[in-house]
Amino acid sequence: PGQPVERVADTIGAGDAHLGAIMGCEALGMTLEDATVRANRAAAAVVSREGAELTREVFVQWMEEM
């Protein structure tokens, strides 16, 4: 399932974040299903802010809300 966001600010980098998260999660041994859930969250975090850039704090916050 997708990850809803309150506001889409900028879609640049969403695909890169999604693919990077899937690759990283699979490298850690996660299932494709679990990796996709995290990837959806990573892409949602990216589109919710201007500029296709996340601070570590924002990224961790999005991942902890799972």
Side-chain angles (χ1 to χ4, degrees):
Q3 177 65 42
V5 295
E6 289 185 27
R7 176 180 165 273
V8 174
D10 188 349
T11 60
I12 294 174
D16 295 328
H18 194 270
L19 181 58
I22 286 181
M23 293 173 65
C25 289
E26 285 197 327
L28 293 172
M30 291 184 184
T31 65
L32 179 57
E33 183 177 351
D34 289 341
T36 301
V37 170
R38 288 187 179 261
N40 288 346
R41 292 190 67 78
V46 169
V47 302
S48 69
R49 287 162 179 70
E50 295 284 340
E53 186 175 336
L54 294 177
T55 63
R56 179 170 177 75
E57 292 79 21
V58 170
F59 178 75
V60 168
Q61 177 186 2
W62 272 85
M63 291 299 124
E64 288 178 346
E65 290 177 3
M66 293 186 66

